[in-house]
Amino acid sequence: MKVTPESLVQEHHESGAWSDVPLDEIFRQTAETHPDRIALVDAPDRATWTGGAPRKLTYAQADREIDRLAAFYNAVGLAADHVIGVQSPNTVDTVIAILAAFRADLIVSPLPLHWRQKNVVDALNSIGAKGLIAADRIETRDVGTAARDVAAELFSLRFVFGLGKDVPDGLIELGPMLAEMGDDLQFESSGPRPDPADHTATICWSRSGEENMPISRCHNHWTSCGSLVVKEAHIKDGGNILVPYSLSGLTGLGGGLVPWLMTGATLHLHHPTSLVNLAEHAKAVKADVVISPGPLAQTLDRKLAGVDTTILAAWNISSPRPATFIPRRRLVDLHIADEFALTASARGPSAKAKAIPLGKHSGPDGCESGPALLEVSTSEAVEDQLPTLLVKGPMVPDIGWRTVNGDQRRVRWEGTGYLNTNIKVQATDDGIEGFGVPGFYALATGNLETIDVIYSSYPGISEAAAFVVEAPVLGARMYAALVPEAGHVPDAGAFFAYLDAEGVDLAKIPHRVLILQSLPRNPDGTVCRDRLTMRTQRLPAAVA
């Protein structure tokens, strides 16, 4: 299925930014050229956070598994352009499942790992998903059982597959199934597909607004993202790339998985538990490239002593401003604008992160030798309102899913050809200070007013407000201010237990709780969240 307007498709192909090679074919080409090169390696501690022993596959071995699984998808009735959800952590099995779906011409919707059952049901229902792949568990969460319950609620979901060691009854266990069928499964393409790289590959989820919104990307959108990262980070062919971000959004896929595919590298998969663990893993595999949360990049830089590793410092829209320091190794600031765009910029000899320049982004240091992969602009500032981020170009996705994007949508196309992301930005003389403004966003939570409703539904609470507190290392964190009804004394532990019982998205569960007699208000009657933030800096808060 193609959703990009034909005029844009032609423009991107003529510029040289887009090709005719889909992501799974990039992998196949490397498998033909370097069959014995190691392609995928699980984290050595895999068994501590999900089912199954660590695995390691060469490109030839992985390509055979991808072929067999693609054949299995087709055999059970999944056809071209069917949507299949994936909620599974960073394992070899997850990568194989995604690439096999691409080879079978399916559309993958990678789901955030922190989503609970209600979020998954709503998302898969909205995009008409036919299948779901889920891990048996993610740390202490029984994701496999939750996936089975999703299928019970969503009648359109025809297939639910399980990955791992302890897959619950009711799920099709992919590992043993493929092992049992072995070479009897042979993938046969239904025939050449015109312009395969222009077809939709994924539906990811924007999480910076009032609701989770589907964001469609074709294979070429993804290679445009990966190309910018590969060029700026100077990622070499056949190197070692360590990815601690889940493969559910622009950071993990665009900054990790796709650069791996494009360079024929070895992908080392990591589940983040501590910075020490990440540093030790990078040293053990002699990582050429490792992705790190931007606020932790300086500490990781110190801990990687003796290893010549390039750090990709990922800054999302809720991150604090990048710290000024002189890195000991190559450091590339990777700015992520939710699910809409990314930029990559090496620090160079300067200790300060560069502002994101407006205009075209083509490659290293704004090199104009290649096609522009992204164009950045901002809306006009109105009175005291900050401008919003505008983006266009070969990496910018097609928003929505089988819908017409009207003028009333939070994210919309402007008449100038730019996509208005509605992400507020701070302008400087050199461009903009990253994507997002510290204190305006809490990662993956959506609109704060919608979270107020969730918090105020707790019995004995007359009103509540969600607000953001900026931490110098961890970035924006969610807090809750609760105003009890007369005669009630809310208990922080009981409040957290209530949110958990209601199945609230894990990203919307606050870090701390503040009990107040009333909420501060602005002159227009709205909650003054700035005053709430200032108050938490002076007073202790209840901690669950």
Side-chain angles (χ1 to χ4, degrees):
M1 176 176 291
K2 299 179 183 179
V3 293
T4 306
E6 190 58 37
S7 59
L8 280 180
V9 170
Q10 183 177 350
E11 178 182 327
H12 297 333
H13 276 286
E14 289 178 350
S15 73
W18 281 19
S19 75
D20 296 322
V21 185
L23 297 173
D24 62 288
E25 182 60 25
I26 295 175
F27 184 91
R28 189 201 295 273
Q29 290 174 358
T30 304
E32 291 176 352
T33 308
H34 303 285
D36 298 326
R37 180 181 290 175
I38 300 300
L40 294 162
V41 184
D42 270 326
D45 63 347
R46 166 178 166 163
T48 65
W49 41 266
T50 196
R55 304 180 69 206
K56 179 169 69 174
L57 298 176
T58 66
Y59 269 90
Q61 291 169 334
D63 194 56
R64 284 195 294 272
E65 286 202 14
I66 291 167
D67 251 7
R68 285 204 302 271
L69 187 50
F72 177 75
Y73 288 151
N74 288 166
V76 298
L78 288 167
D81 296 326
H82 279 169
V83 180
I84 185 166
V86 177
Q87 191 175 38
S88 185
N90 284 6
T91 65
V92 168
D93 305 332
T94 302
V95 178
I96 295 293
I98 291 172
L99 292 178
F102 292 157
R103 187 160 294 179
D105 290 332
L106 305 181
I107 298 170
V108 176
S109 182
L111 306 173
L113 299 186
H114 61 74
W115 274 11
R116 307 286 281 274
Q117 183 175 325
K118 182 181 184 302
N119 304 108
V120 174
V121 169
D122 291 346
L124 296 184
N125 184 51
S126 70
I127 59 177
K130 300 297 184 184
L132 172 61
I133 299 174
D136 54 354
R137 66 179 174 89
I138 302 174
E139 296 183 349
T140 59
R141 290 177 57 216
D142 194 348
V143 182
T145 300
R148 183 182 60 192
D149 295 340
V150 167
E153 290 189 53
L154 198 58
F155 297 112
S156 63
L157 204 63
R158 296 166 53 191
F159 308 101
V160 185
F161 307 112
L163 297 174
K165 180 181 178 183
D166 300 309
V167 176
D169 293 339
L171 274 65
I172 302 172
E173 197 169 354
L174 285 180
M177 178 72 68
L178 294 176
E180 181 179 337
M181 301 185 75
D183 293 335
D184 291 339
L185 279 174
Q186 297 288 337
F187 176 71
E188 294 182 6
S189 175
S190 57
R193 197 178 197 191
D195 311 313
D198 297 343
H199 286 258
T200 301
T202 62
I203 304 172
C204 293
W205 297 89
S206 164
R207 302 182 289 278
S208 61
E210 296 180 4
E211 59 184 9
N212 298 315
M213 185 174 67
I215 305 293
S216 306
R217 261 197 171 85
C218 72
H219 296 261
N220 274 320
H221 285 128
W222 282 116
T223 53
S224 296
C225 294
S227 180
L228 196 63
V229 176
V230 169
K231 291 178 180 178
E232 186 68 21
H234 299 170
I235 301 178
K236 65 181 182 180
D237 180 73
N240 291 298
I241 300 177
L242 179 60
V243 177
Y245 280 85
S246 66
L247 306 178
S248 61
L250 191 52
T251 308
L253 292 170
L257 185 79
V258 179
W260 160 67
L261 288 172
M262 298 179 72
T263 57
T266 298
L267 181 63
H268 295 270
L269 296 150
H270 181 93
H271 182 76
T273 55
S274 72
L275 188 63
V276 171
N277 192 24
L278 178 62
E280 291 303 317
H281 195 175
K283 290 180 181 179
V285 302
K286 298 180 180 179
D288 296 291
V289 179
V290 60
I291 307 179
S292 164
L296 303 181
Q298 183 175 3
T299 305
L300 180 63
D301 181 55
R302 292 198 302 267
K303 291 184 178 295
L304 288 177
V307 181
D308 186 18
T309 300
T310 295
I311 297 176
L312 296 181
W315 304 92
N316 58 58
I317 62 173
S318 67
S319 297
R321 288 288 172 250
T324 297
F325 72 99
I326 299 176
R328 304 177 183 183
R329 54 191 41 77
R330 185 171 180 81
L331 186 140
V332 177
D333 290 306
L334 196 65
H335 292 279
I336 312 292
D338 193 7
E339 292 300 316
F340 304 111
L342 62 78
T343 63
S345 178
R347 286 281 176 106
S350 173
K352 186 177 180 181
K354 301 174 185 175
I356 299 173
L358 301 181
K360 297 181 179 181
H361 292 249
S362 303
D365 299 319
C367 173
E368 298 297 334
S369 61
L373 301 171
L374 174 69
E375 291 187 49
V376 176
S377 186
T378 61
S379 65
E380 293 185 9
V382 179
E383 296 180 353
D384 59 346
Q385 297 294 314
L386 290 169
T388 57
L389 175 67
L390 306 179
V391 291
K392 68 177 179 179
M395 76 164 61
V396 177
D398 307 294
I399 61 174
W401 175 242
R402 300 178 181 173
T403 58
V404 176
N405 300 296
D407 292 337
Q408 302 305 311
R409 294 199 65 149
R410 177 181 64 87
V411 176
R412 62 186 184 277
W413 291 103
E414 302 287 355
T416 56
Y418 282 99
L419 179 71
N420 189 334
T421 66
N422 204 41
I423 296 172
K424 297 183 185 301
V425 291
Q426 185 72 54
T428 69
D429 292 338
D430 300 321
I432 52 178
E433 290 186 353
F435 296 141
V437 177
F440 272 65
Y441 302 95
L443 182 62
T445 59
N447 185 284
L448 294 179
E449 292 180 355
T450 63
I451 304 173
D452 296 349
V453 177
I454 297 173
Y455 293 169
S456 62
S457 65
Y458 179 60
I461 296 298
S462 63
E463 58 180 353
F467 61 101
V468 174
V469 174
E470 192 68 38
V473 173
L474 297 175
R477 308 198 74 168
M478 180 73 69
Y479 281 56
L482 307 179
V483 177
E485 295 175 350
H488 286 266
V489 180
D491 175 77
F495 174 69
F496 280 89
Y498 167 80
L499 296 179
D500 183 64
E502 290 294 307
V504 173
D505 179 351
L506 295 177
K508 295 180 181 178
I509 294 179
H511 177 60
R512 291 188 177 183
V513 174
L514 187 69
I515 309 299
L516 300 176
Q517 292 184 341
S518 63
L519 296 178
R521 300 282 176 177
N522 294 311
D524 61 1
T526 58
V527 175
C528 182
R529 302 181 200 272
D530 288 341
R531 288 172 61 188
L532 287 173
T533 298
M534 292 175 62
R535 181 157 188 164
T536 61
Q537 294 171 351
R538 298 198 305 267
L539 298 179
V543 182

